mmCIF file of all heavy atoms in Angstrom:
data_model
loop_
_atom_site.group_PDB
_atom_site.id
_atom_site.type_symbol
_atom_site.label_atom_id
_atom_site.label_comp_id
_atom_site.label_asym_id
_atom_site.label_seq_id
_atom_site.Cartn_x
_atom_site.Cartn_y
_atom_site.Cartn_z
ATOM 1 N N MET S 1 10.322 -22.588 -11.050
ATOM 2 C CA MET S 1 9.786 -21.266 -10.836
ATOM 3 C C MET S 1 8.668 -21.221 -9.720
ATOM 4 O O MET S 1 8.590 -20.239 -9.053
ATOM 5 C CB MET S 1 9.073 -20.799 -12.201
ATOM 6 C CG MET S 1 8.796 -19.435 -12.296
ATOM 7 S SD MET S 1 10.264 -18.495 -12.228
ATOM 8 C CE MET S 1 9.556 -16.864 -12.384
ATOM 9 N N LYS S 2 7.954 -22.420 -9.635
ATOM 10 C CA LYS S 2 6.909 -22.512 -8.578
ATOM 11 C C LYS S 2 7.577 -22.412 -7.239
ATOM 12 O O LYS S 2 7.019 -21.823 -6.308
ATOM 13 C CB LYS S 2 6.154 -23.757 -8.809
ATOM 14 C CG LYS S 2 4.996 -23.755 -9.817
ATOM 15 C CD LYS S 2 4.168 -24.932 -9.773
ATOM 16 C CE LYS S 2 3.046 -24.925 -10.755
ATOM 17 N NZ LYS S 2 2.253 -26.053 -10.718
ATOM 18 N N LEU S 3 8.733 -23.136 -7.133
ATOM 19 C CA LEU S 3 9.367 -23.112 -5.785
ATOM 20 C C LEU S 3 9.745 -21.749 -5.408
ATOM 21 O O LEU S 3 9.568 -21.374 -4.226
ATOM 22 C CB LEU S 3 10.693 -24.038 -5.907
ATOM 23 C CG LEU S 3 11.356 -24.205 -4.592
ATOM 24 C CD1 LEU S 3 10.466 -24.964 -3.589
ATOM 25 C CD2 LEU S 3 12.563 -25.029 -4.901
ATOM 26 N N LEU S 4 10.261 -20.867 -6.352
ATOM 27 C CA LEU S 4 10.545 -19.500 -6.033
ATOM 28 C C LEU S 4 9.337 -18.708 -5.560
ATOM 29 O O LEU S 4 9.391 -17.939 -4.563
ATOM 30 C CB LEU S 4 11.219 -18.858 -7.193
ATOM 31 C CG LEU S 4 11.553 -17.313 -6.978
ATOM 32 C CD1 LEU S 4 12.564 -17.206 -5.840
ATOM 33 C CD2 LEU S 4 12.143 -16.705 -8.214
ATOM 34 N N ARG S 5 8.228 -18.934 -6.327
ATOM 35 C CA ARG S 5 7.032 -18.187 -5.996
ATOM 36 C C ARG S 5 6.486 -18.623 -4.566
ATOM 37 O O ARG S 5 6.147 -17.804 -3.792
ATOM 38 C CB ARG S 5 5.874 -18.641 -6.962
ATOM 39 C CG ARG S 5 4.552 -17.986 -6.766
ATOM 40 C CD ARG S 5 3.495 -18.242 -7.728
ATOM 41 N NE ARG S 5 2.194 -17.962 -7.250
ATOM 42 C CZ ARG S 5 1.612 -16.772 -7.369
ATOM 43 N NH1 ARG S 5 2.306 -15.768 -7.946
ATOM 44 N NH2 ARG S 5 0.361 -16.517 -6.938
ATOM 45 N N PHE S 6 6.576 -19.937 -4.327
ATOM 46 C CA PHE S 6 6.127 -20.416 -2.880
ATOM 47 C C PHE S 6 6.979 -19.762 -1.885
ATOM 48 O O PHE S 6 6.493 -19.403 -0.731
ATOM 49 C CB PHE S 6 6.050 -21.842 -2.807
ATOM 50 C CG PHE S 6 4.881 -22.577 -3.681
ATOM 51 C CD1 PHE S 6 5.173 -23.724 -4.307
ATOM 52 C CD2 PHE S 6 3.802 -21.827 -3.837
ATOM 53 C CE1 PHE S 6 4.177 -24.322 -5.006
ATOM 54 C CE2 PHE S 6 2.749 -22.514 -4.627
ATOM 55 C CZ PHE S 6 2.975 -23.641 -5.176
ATOM 56 N N TYR S 7 8.326 -19.850 -2.135
ATOM 57 C CA TYR S 7 9.230 -19.153 -1.117
ATOM 58 C C TYR S 7 8.921 -17.731 -0.871
ATOM 59 O O TYR S 7 8.807 -17.277 0.314
ATOM 60 C CB TYR S 7 10.649 -19.323 -1.574
ATOM 61 C CG TYR S 7 11.673 -18.760 -0.793
ATOM 62 C CD1 TYR S 7 12.034 -19.425 0.417
ATOM 63 C CD2 TYR S 7 12.194 -17.553 -0.996
ATOM 64 C CE1 TYR S 7 12.953 -18.767 1.303
ATOM 65 C CE2 TYR S 7 13.182 -16.898 -0.131
ATOM 66 C CZ TYR S 7 13.615 -17.535 0.926
ATOM 67 O OH TYR S 7 14.429 -16.937 1.805
ATOM 68 N N CYS S 8 8.822 -16.902 -1.990
ATOM 69 C CA CYS S 8 8.467 -15.597 -1.843
ATOM 70 C C CYS S 8 7.098 -15.300 -1.192
ATOM 71 O O CYS S 8 6.969 -14.364 -0.366
ATOM 72 C CB CYS S 8 8.518 -14.869 -3.215
ATOM 73 S SG CYS S 8 10.141 -14.711 -3.903
ATOM 74 N N GLN S 9 6.152 -16.152 -1.562
ATOM 75 C CA GLN S 9 4.843 -15.995 -0.983
ATOM 76 C C GLN S 9 4.862 -16.162 0.577
ATOM 77 O O GLN S 9 4.139 -15.542 1.333
ATOM 78 C CB GLN S 9 3.850 -16.940 -1.655
ATOM 79 C CG GLN S 9 2.477 -16.539 -1.465
ATOM 80 C CD GLN S 9 1.582 -17.525 -2.401
ATOM 81 O OE1 GLN S 9 1.972 -18.466 -2.941
ATOM 82 N NE2 GLN S 9 0.307 -17.045 -2.713
ATOM 83 N N HIS S 10 5.593 -17.276 0.963
ATOM 84 C CA HIS S 10 5.800 -17.391 2.357
ATOM 85 C C HIS S 10 6.450 -16.263 3.162
ATOM 86 O O HIS S 10 6.015 -15.809 4.101
ATOM 87 C CB HIS S 10 6.609 -18.684 2.615
ATOM 88 C CG HIS S 10 6.876 -18.928 4.106
ATOM 89 N ND1 HIS S 10 6.033 -19.261 5.005
ATOM 90 C CD2 HIS S 10 8.165 -18.794 4.750
ATOM 91 C CE1 HIS S 10 6.613 -19.393 6.158
ATOM 92 N NE2 HIS S 10 7.952 -19.058 6.059
ATOM 93 N N ARG S 11 7.585 -15.903 2.600
ATOM 94 C CA ARG S 11 8.425 -14.878 3.221
ATOM 95 C C ARG S 11 7.772 -13.488 3.215
ATOM 96 O O ARG S 11 8.084 -12.726 4.085
ATOM 97 C CB ARG S 11 9.804 -14.834 2.558
ATOM 98 C CG ARG S 11 10.708 -15.968 2.722
ATOM 99 C CD ARG S 11 11.000 -16.227 4.056
ATOM 100 N NE ARG S 11 12.422 -15.946 4.366
ATOM 101 C CZ ARG S 11 12.989 -15.951 5.539
ATOM 102 N NH1 ARG S 11 12.329 -16.386 6.565
ATOM 103 N NH2 ARG S 11 14.186 -15.749 5.620
ATOM 104 N N LEU S 12 6.914 -13.224 2.183
ATOM 105 C CA LEU S 12 6.348 -11.878 2.207
ATOM 106 C C LEU S 12 4.956 -11.904 2.856
ATOM 107 O O LEU S 12 4.230 -10.908 2.671
ATOM 108 C CB LEU S 12 6.290 -11.454 0.678
ATOM 109 C CG LEU S 12 7.680 -11.295 0.087
ATOM 110 C CD1 LEU S 12 7.522 -10.889 -1.416
ATOM 111 C CD2 LEU S 12 8.456 -10.238 0.780
ATOM 112 N N ASN S 13 4.404 -13.047 3.239
ATOM 113 C CA ASN S 13 3.203 -13.139 3.867
ATOM 114 C C ASN S 13 2.995 -12.125 5.052
ATOM 115 O O ASN S 13 3.980 -12.026 5.909
ATOM 116 C CB ASN S 13 2.932 -14.686 4.355
ATOM 117 C CG ASN S 13 1.643 -14.909 4.986
ATOM 118 O OD1 ASN S 13 1.167 -14.080 5.704
ATOM 119 N ND2 ASN S 13 1.030 -16.006 4.613
ATOM 120 N N PRO S 14 1.980 -11.488 5.226
ATOM 121 C CA PRO S 14 1.763 -10.447 6.264
ATOM 122 C C PRO S 14 1.923 -11.098 7.681
ATOM 123 O O PRO S 14 2.558 -10.397 8.535
ATOM 124 C CB PRO S 14 0.360 -9.880 6.065
ATOM 125 C CG PRO S 14 0.099 -10.135 4.582
ATOM 126 C CD PRO S 14 0.756 -11.440 4.318
ATOM 127 N N LEU S 15 1.504 -12.193 7.878
ATOM 128 C CA LEU S 15 1.651 -12.887 9.187
ATOM 129 C C LEU S 15 3.223 -13.174 9.459
ATOM 130 O O LEU S 15 3.747 -13.016 10.580
ATOM 131 C CB LEU S 15 0.917 -14.204 9.328
ATOM 132 C CG LEU S 15 1.028 -14.957 10.618
ATOM 133 C CD1 LEU S 15 0.483 -13.947 11.738
ATOM 134 C CD2 LEU S 15 0.103 -16.180 10.577
ATOM 135 N N HIS S 16 3.927 -13.616 8.425
ATOM 136 C CA HIS S 16 5.328 -13.815 8.616
ATOM 137 C C HIS S 16 6.104 -12.517 8.902
ATOM 138 O O HIS S 16 6.929 -12.424 9.686
ATOM 139 C CB HIS S 16 5.881 -14.357 7.321
ATOM 140 C CG HIS S 16 7.358 -14.926 7.367
ATOM 141 N ND1 HIS S 16 7.733 -16.060 7.902
ATOM 142 C CD2 HIS S 16 8.465 -14.239 7.016
ATOM 143 C CE1 HIS S 16 8.971 -16.151 7.890
ATOM 144 N NE2 HIS S 16 9.540 -15.041 7.378
ATOM 145 N N VAL S 17 5.659 -11.480 8.131
ATOM 146 C CA VAL S 17 6.144 -10.157 8.428
ATOM 147 C C VAL S 17 5.953 -9.690 9.911
ATOM 148 O O VAL S 17 6.751 -9.138 10.566
ATOM 149 C CB VAL S 17 5.623 -9.169 7.427
ATOM 150 C CG1 VAL S 17 6.080 -7.640 7.781
ATOM 151 C CG2 VAL S 17 6.116 -9.421 5.964
ATOM 152 N N PHE S 18 4.750 -9.884 10.207
ATOM 153 C CA PHE S 18 4.247 -9.569 11.708
ATOM 154 C C PHE S 18 5.227 -10.290 12.684
ATOM 155 O O PHE S 18 5.705 -9.603 13.660
ATOM 156 C CB PHE S 18 2.935 -9.942 11.893
ATOM 157 C CG PHE S 18 2.394 -9.841 13.346
ATOM 158 C CD1 PHE S 18 2.138 -8.573 13.942
ATOM 159 C CD2 PHE S 18 2.322 -10.943 14.175
ATOM 160 C CE1 PHE S 18 1.763 -8.527 15.180
ATOM 161 C CE2 PHE S 18 1.957 -10.881 15.471
ATOM 162 C CZ PHE S 18 1.661 -9.645 16.081
ATOM 163 N N CYS S 19 5.463 -11.516 12.595
ATOM 164 C CA CYS S 19 6.221 -12.353 13.427
ATOM 165 C C CYS S 19 7.697 -11.854 13.454
ATOM 166 O O CYS S 19 8.343 -11.758 14.511
ATOM 167 C CB CYS S 19 6.178 -13.786 13.076
ATOM 168 S SG CYS S 19 4.601 -14.539 13.359
ATOM 169 N N ARG S 20 8.242 -11.544 12.257
ATOM 170 C CA ARG S 20 9.702 -10.955 12.161
ATOM 171 C C ARG S 20 9.824 -9.601 12.846
ATOM 172 O O ARG S 20 10.753 -9.349 13.555
ATOM 173 C CB ARG S 20 9.994 -10.894 10.640
ATOM 174 C CG ARG S 20 10.174 -12.176 9.958
ATOM 175 C CD ARG S 20 11.080 -13.308 10.456
ATOM 176 N NE ARG S 20 10.626 -13.997 11.675
ATOM 177 C CZ ARG S 20 9.800 -15.050 11.656
ATOM 178 N NH1 ARG S 20 9.185 -15.479 10.498
ATOM 179 N NH2 ARG S 20 9.416 -15.687 12.853
ATOM 180 N N LEU S 21 8.702 -8.772 12.801
ATOM 181 C CA LEU S 21 8.815 -7.535 13.466
ATOM 182 C C LEU S 21 8.770 -7.604 14.904
ATOM 183 O O LEU S 21 9.415 -6.919 15.671
ATOM 184 C CB LEU S 21 7.505 -6.685 12.897
ATOM 185 C CG LEU S 21 7.535 -6.179 11.412
ATOM 186 C CD1 LEU S 21 6.335 -5.546 11.099
ATOM 187 C CD2 LEU S 21 8.665 -5.126 11.286
ATOM 188 N N ARG S 22 7.823 -8.583 15.320
ATOM 189 C CA ARG S 22 7.905 -8.862 16.837
ATOM 190 C C ARG S 22 9.244 -9.322 17.227
ATOM 191 O O ARG S 22 9.690 -9.034 18.401
ATOM 192 C CB ARG S 22 6.829 -9.933 17.092
ATOM 193 C CG ARG S 22 5.410 -9.394 16.945
ATOM 194 C CD ARG S 22 5.010 -8.429 18.045
ATOM 195 N NE ARG S 22 4.992 -9.111 19.294
ATOM 196 C CZ ARG S 22 5.112 -8.556 20.444
ATOM 197 N NH1 ARG S 22 5.191 -7.258 20.563
ATOM 198 N NH2 ARG S 22 5.043 -9.247 21.620
ATOM 199 N N GLU S 23 9.874 -10.201 16.533
ATOM 200 C CA GLU S 23 11.328 -10.667 16.990
ATOM 201 C C GLU S 23 12.208 -9.607 17.028
ATOM 202 O O GLU S 23 13.241 -9.748 17.732
ATOM 203 C CB GLU S 23 11.725 -11.777 15.862
ATOM 204 C CG GLU S 23 11.091 -13.092 16.127
ATOM 205 C CD GLU S 23 11.700 -14.132 15.160
ATOM 206 O OE1 GLU S 23 12.414 -13.740 14.223
ATOM 207 O OE2 GLU S 23 11.214 -15.327 15.310
ATOM 208 N N LEU S 24 12.023 -8.632 16.201
ATOM 209 C CA LEU S 24 12.975 -7.424 16.186
ATOM 210 C C LEU S 24 12.702 -6.554 17.382
ATOM 211 O O LEU S 24 13.467 -5.564 17.594
ATOM 212 C CB LEU S 24 12.882 -6.669 14.823
ATOM 213 C CG LEU S 24 13.306 -7.304 13.602
ATOM 214 C CD1 LEU S 24 12.995 -6.530 12.365
ATOM 215 C CD2 LEU S 24 14.939 -7.471 13.725
ATOM 216 N N GLY S 25 11.628 -6.802 18.020
ATOM 217 C CA GLY S 25 11.317 -5.993 19.268
ATOM 218 C C GLY S 25 10.289 -4.967 19.178
ATOM 219 O O GLY S 25 10.084 -4.115 20.139
ATOM 220 N N LEU S 26 9.494 -4.926 17.995
ATOM 221 C CA LEU S 26 8.450 -3.971 17.983
ATOM 222 C C LEU S 26 7.225 -4.414 18.926
ATOM 223 O O LEU S 26 7.027 -5.659 19.131
ATOM 224 C CB LEU S 26 7.750 -3.880 16.490
ATOM 225 C CG LEU S 26 8.306 -2.731 15.730
ATOM 226 C CD1 LEU S 26 9.681 -2.869 15.497
ATOM 227 C CD2 LEU S 26 7.511 -2.615 14.532
ATOM 228 N N SER S 27 6.520 -3.424 19.496
ATOM 229 C CA SER S 27 5.359 -3.758 20.357
ATOM 230 C C SER S 27 4.352 -4.405 19.468
ATOM 231 O O SER S 27 4.325 -4.391 18.260
ATOM 232 C CB SER S 27 4.933 -2.479 20.955
ATOM 233 O OG SER S 27 4.272 -1.699 19.986
ATOM 234 N N LEU S 28 3.387 -5.155 20.171
ATOM 235 C CA LEU S 28 2.298 -5.760 19.545
ATOM 236 C C LEU S 28 1.587 -4.959 18.603
ATOM 237 O O LEU S 28 1.273 -5.158 17.436
ATOM 238 C CB LEU S 28 1.390 -6.495 20.546
ATOM 239 C CG LEU S 28 0.198 -7.268 20.037
ATOM 240 C CD1 LEU S 28 0.789 -8.497 19.310
ATOM 241 C CD2 LEU S 28 -0.787 -7.595 21.176
ATOM 242 N N GLY S 29 1.086 -3.754 19.081
ATOM 243 C CA GLY S 29 0.340 -2.850 18.336
ATOM 244 C C GLY S 29 1.132 -2.195 17.075
ATOM 245 O O GLY S 29 0.545 -2.180 16.060
ATOM 246 N N ALA S 30 2.350 -1.897 17.326
ATOM 247 C CA ALA S 30 3.104 -1.361 16.269
ATOM 248 C C ALA S 30 3.359 -2.367 15.135
ATOM 249 O O ALA S 30 3.133 -2.135 13.972
ATOM 250 C CB ALA S 30 4.385 -0.920 16.717
ATOM 251 N N ALA S 31 3.695 -3.661 15.491
ATOM 252 C CA ALA S 31 3.919 -4.696 14.545
ATOM 253 C C ALA S 31 2.464 -4.998 13.720
ATOM 254 O O ALA S 31 2.565 -5.209 12.582
ATOM 255 C CB ALA S 31 4.316 -5.939 15.225
ATOM 256 N N ARG S 32 1.518 -4.926 14.519
ATOM 257 C CA ARG S 32 0.135 -5.222 13.875
ATOM 258 C C ARG S 32 -0.186 -4.089 12.884
ATOM 259 O O ARG S 32 -0.608 -4.389 11.874
ATOM 260 C CB ARG S 32 -0.944 -5.342 14.971
ATOM 261 C CG ARG S 32 -2.347 -5.632 14.397
ATOM 262 C CD ARG S 32 -3.408 -5.705 15.503
ATOM 263 N NE ARG S 32 -2.999 -6.697 16.482
ATOM 264 C CZ ARG S 32 -3.219 -6.517 17.793
ATOM 265 N NH1 ARG S 32 -3.699 -5.408 18.153
ATOM 266 N NH2 ARG S 32 -2.984 -7.430 18.704
ATOM 267 N N ASN S 33 0.023 -2.858 13.305
ATOM 268 C CA ASN S 33 -0.183 -1.732 12.341
ATOM 269 C C ASN S 33 0.548 -1.816 11.126
ATOM 270 O O ASN S 33 0.136 -1.605 9.958
ATOM 271 C CB ASN S 33 -0.081 -0.458 13.034
ATOM 272 C CG ASN S 33 -1.177 -0.109 14.120
ATOM 273 O OD1 ASN S 33 -2.208 -0.746 14.045
ATOM 274 N ND2 ASN S 33 -0.816 0.631 15.103
ATOM 275 N N VAL S 34 1.872 -2.107 11.352
ATOM 276 C CA VAL S 34 2.798 -2.132 10.145
ATOM 277 C C VAL S 34 2.419 -3.218 9.225
ATOM 278 O O VAL S 34 2.445 -3.110 8.054
ATOM 279 C CB VAL S 34 4.273 -2.318 10.606
ATOM 280 C CG1 VAL S 34 5.183 -2.567 9.428
ATOM 281 C CG2 VAL S 34 4.677 -1.059 11.259
ATOM 282 N N SER S 35 2.126 -4.487 9.813
ATOM 283 C CA SER S 35 1.762 -5.594 8.891
ATOM 284 C C SER S 35 0.419 -5.414 8.252
ATOM 285 O O SER S 35 0.295 -5.795 7.046
ATOM 286 C CB SER S 35 1.687 -6.934 9.726
ATOM 287 O OG SER S 35 0.845 -6.833 10.686
ATOM 288 N N ARG S 36 -0.476 -4.653 8.795
ATOM 289 C CA ARG S 36 -1.786 -4.458 8.217
ATOM 290 C C ARG S 36 -1.551 -3.397 7.052
ATOM 291 O O ARG S 36 -2.170 -3.523 5.945
ATOM 292 C CB ARG S 36 -2.753 -3.733 9.159
ATOM 293 C CG ARG S 36 -3.441 -4.668 9.943
ATOM 294 C CD ARG S 36 -4.515 -4.013 10.933
ATOM 295 N NE ARG S 36 -5.009 -4.840 11.936
ATOM 296 C CZ ARG S 36 -5.604 -4.547 12.968
ATOM 297 N NH1 ARG S 36 -5.782 -3.308 13.284
ATOM 298 N NH2 ARG S 36 -6.155 -5.451 13.742
ATOM 299 N N LEU S 37 -0.789 -2.383 7.292
ATOM 300 C CA LEU S 37 -0.434 -1.411 6.251
ATOM 301 C C LEU S 37 0.248 -2.093 5.058
ATOM 302 O O LEU S 37 -0.066 -1.851 3.882
ATOM 303 C CB LEU S 37 0.370 -0.314 6.763
ATOM 304 C CG LEU S 37 0.758 0.794 5.831
ATOM 305 C CD1 LEU S 37 -0.497 1.442 5.309
ATOM 306 C CD2 LEU S 37 1.832 1.706 6.479
ATOM 307 N N TYR S 38 1.245 -2.909 5.429
ATOM 308 C CA TYR S 38 1.899 -3.676 4.301
ATOM 309 C C TYR S 38 0.944 -4.662 3.641
ATOM 310 O O TYR S 38 0.995 -4.620 2.363
ATOM 311 C CB TYR S 38 2.936 -4.570 5.024
ATOM 312 C CG TYR S 38 3.570 -5.589 4.125
ATOM 313 C CD1 TYR S 38 4.456 -5.338 3.120
ATOM 314 C CD2 TYR S 38 3.215 -7.054 4.383
ATOM 315 C CE1 TYR S 38 4.961 -6.349 2.396
ATOM 316 C CE2 TYR S 38 3.643 -7.949 3.600
ATOM 317 C CZ TYR S 38 4.571 -7.653 2.542
ATOM 318 O OH TYR S 38 5.076 -8.583 1.745
ATOM 319 N N GLU S 39 -0.013 -5.274 4.305
ATOM 320 C CA GLU S 39 -0.866 -6.210 3.533
ATOM 321 C C GLU S 39 -1.718 -5.275 2.584
ATOM 322 O O GLU S 39 -2.076 -5.784 1.455
ATOM 323 C CB GLU S 39 -1.811 -6.978 4.429
ATOM 324 C CG GLU S 39 -2.779 -7.783 3.845
ATOM 325 C CD GLU S 39 -3.615 -8.558 4.749
ATOM 326 O OE1 GLU S 39 -3.690 -8.258 6.081
ATOM 327 O OE2 GLU S 39 -4.329 -9.536 4.305
ATOM 328 N N ARG S 40 -2.247 -4.218 3.099
ATOM 329 C CA ARG S 40 -3.138 -3.358 2.303
ATOM 330 C C ARG S 40 -2.578 -2.670 1.174
ATOM 331 O O ARG S 40 -3.102 -2.509 0.017
ATOM 332 C CB ARG S 40 -3.876 -2.485 3.153
ATOM 333 C CG ARG S 40 -4.904 -3.089 4.047
ATOM 334 C CD ARG S 40 -5.550 -2.144 5.024
ATOM 335 N NE ARG S 40 -6.514 -2.870 5.919
ATOM 336 C CZ ARG S 40 -6.915 -2.321 6.970
ATOM 337 N NH1 ARG S 40 -6.525 -1.197 7.251
ATOM 338 N NH2 ARG S 40 -7.724 -3.087 7.751
ATOM 339 N N SER S 41 -1.290 -2.344 1.288
ATOM 340 C CA SER S 41 -0.621 -1.471 0.265
ATOM 341 C C SER S 41 0.290 -2.230 -0.599
ATOM 342 O O SER S 41 0.473 -1.826 -1.889
ATOM 343 C CB SER S 41 0.199 -0.303 0.877
ATOM 344 O OG SER S 41 1.121 -0.795 1.743
ATOM 345 N N VAL S 42 0.859 -3.359 -0.205
ATOM 346 C CA VAL S 42 1.827 -4.082 -0.923
ATOM 347 C C VAL S 42 1.531 -5.457 -1.365
ATOM 348 O O VAL S 42 1.473 -5.848 -2.487
ATOM 349 C CB VAL S 42 3.242 -4.135 -0.289
ATOM 350 C CG1 VAL S 42 4.292 -4.873 -1.038
ATOM 351 C CG2 VAL S 42 3.804 -2.702 0.084
ATOM 352 N N TYR S 43 1.116 -6.319 -0.379
ATOM 353 C CA TYR S 43 1.029 -7.712 -0.549
ATOM 354 C C TYR S 43 -0.188 -8.039 -1.524
ATOM 355 O O TYR S 43 -0.078 -8.838 -2.447
ATOM 356 C CB TYR S 43 0.672 -8.383 0.828
ATOM 357 C CG TYR S 43 0.619 -9.887 0.693
ATOM 358 C CD1 TYR S 43 1.871 -10.704 0.586
ATOM 359 C CD2 TYR S 43 -0.581 -10.525 0.786
ATOM 360 C CE1 TYR S 43 1.790 -12.043 0.574
ATOM 361 C CE2 TYR S 43 -0.664 -11.940 0.810
ATOM 362 C CZ TYR S 43 0.553 -12.628 0.586
ATOM 363 O OH TYR S 43 0.508 -14.037 0.591
ATOM 364 N N ARG S 44 -1.280 -7.317 -1.379
ATOM 365 C CA ARG S 44 -2.417 -7.524 -2.224
ATOM 366 C C ARG S 44 -2.005 -7.425 -3.702
ATOM 367 O O ARG S 44 -2.652 -8.139 -4.609
ATOM 368 C CB ARG S 44 -3.636 -6.626 -1.969
ATOM 369 C CG ARG S 44 -4.241 -7.109 -0.620
ATOM 370 C CD ARG S 44 -5.440 -6.172 -0.364
ATOM 371 N NE ARG S 44 -6.052 -6.626 0.899
ATOM 372 C CZ ARG S 44 -7.156 -5.954 1.397
ATOM 373 N NH1 ARG S 44 -7.687 -4.993 0.805
ATOM 374 N NH2 ARG S 44 -7.639 -6.335 2.505
ATOM 375 N N PHE S 45 -1.234 -6.510 -4.101
ATOM 376 C CA PHE S 45 -0.854 -6.138 -5.378
ATOM 377 C C PHE S 45 0.130 -7.187 -5.995
ATOM 378 O O PHE S 45 0.397 -7.412 -7.160
ATOM 379 C CB PHE S 45 -0.341 -4.735 -5.592
ATOM 380 C CG PHE S 45 -1.299 -3.737 -5.235
ATOM 381 C CD1 PHE S 45 -1.306 -3.037 -4.099
ATOM 382 C CD2 PHE S 45 -2.493 -3.630 -5.986
ATOM 383 C CE1 PHE S 45 -2.343 -2.094 -3.769
ATOM 384 C CE2 PHE S 45 -3.509 -2.677 -5.681
ATOM 385 C CZ PHE S 45 -3.469 -1.950 -4.602
ATOM 386 N N ILE S 46 1.008 -7.686 -5.178
ATOM 387 C CA ILE S 46 2.049 -8.779 -5.386
ATOM 388 C C ILE S 46 1.373 -10.050 -5.781
ATOM 389 O O ILE S 46 1.680 -10.683 -6.817
ATOM 390 C CB ILE S 46 3.194 -8.828 -4.443
ATOM 391 C CG1 ILE S 46 3.914 -7.546 -4.319
ATOM 392 C CG2 ILE S 46 4.043 -9.952 -4.803
ATOM 393 C CD1 ILE S 46 4.871 -7.545 -3.137
ATOM 394 N N PHE S 47 0.587 -10.611 -4.887
ATOM 395 C CA PHE S 47 0.019 -11.858 -5.007
ATOM 396 C C PHE S 47 -1.462 -11.695 -5.131
ATOM 397 O O PHE S 47 -2.419 -12.294 -5.153
ATOM 398 C CB PHE S 47 0.315 -12.737 -3.771
ATOM 399 C CG PHE S 47 1.824 -12.982 -3.636
ATOM 400 C CD1 PHE S 47 2.530 -12.335 -2.801
ATOM 401 C CD2 PHE S 47 2.534 -13.852 -4.505
ATOM 402 C CE1 PHE S 47 3.849 -12.483 -2.554
ATOM 403 C CE2 PHE S 47 3.862 -14.026 -4.341
ATOM 404 C CZ PHE S 47 4.526 -13.355 -3.370
#
């Protein structure tokens, strides 16, 4: 169970999300804004 938690925690980390958005072609500012919004609205409540 811990392994699954660590995996999800890594994949859902706002920095990881930011990097994947950049790889998809979003501009720096757009990726930053989306990852900040994600961190504030989703990530804090999950972990």
Side-chain angles (χ1 to χ4, degrees):
M1 194 66 178
K2 279 187 180 181
L3 187 60
L4 177 61
R5 177 179 167 86
F6 290 144
Y7 176 79
C8 290
Q9 202 168 17
H10 169 73
R11 296 297 254 177
L12 299 174
N13 183 316
L15 181 59
H16 188 82
V17 171
F18 170 79
C19 291
R20 299 299 75 84
L21 291 171
R22 289 291 290 157
E23 284 182 354
L24 291 173
L26 260 66
S27 68
L28 180 67
R32 186 182 300 141
N33 289 337
V34 170
S35 62
R36 280 183 187 162
L37 179 65
Y38 164 74
E39 179 180 13
R40 291 177 181 161
S41 62
V42 177
Y43 186 76
R44 287 184 183 181
F45 297 109
I46 295 174
F47 299 103

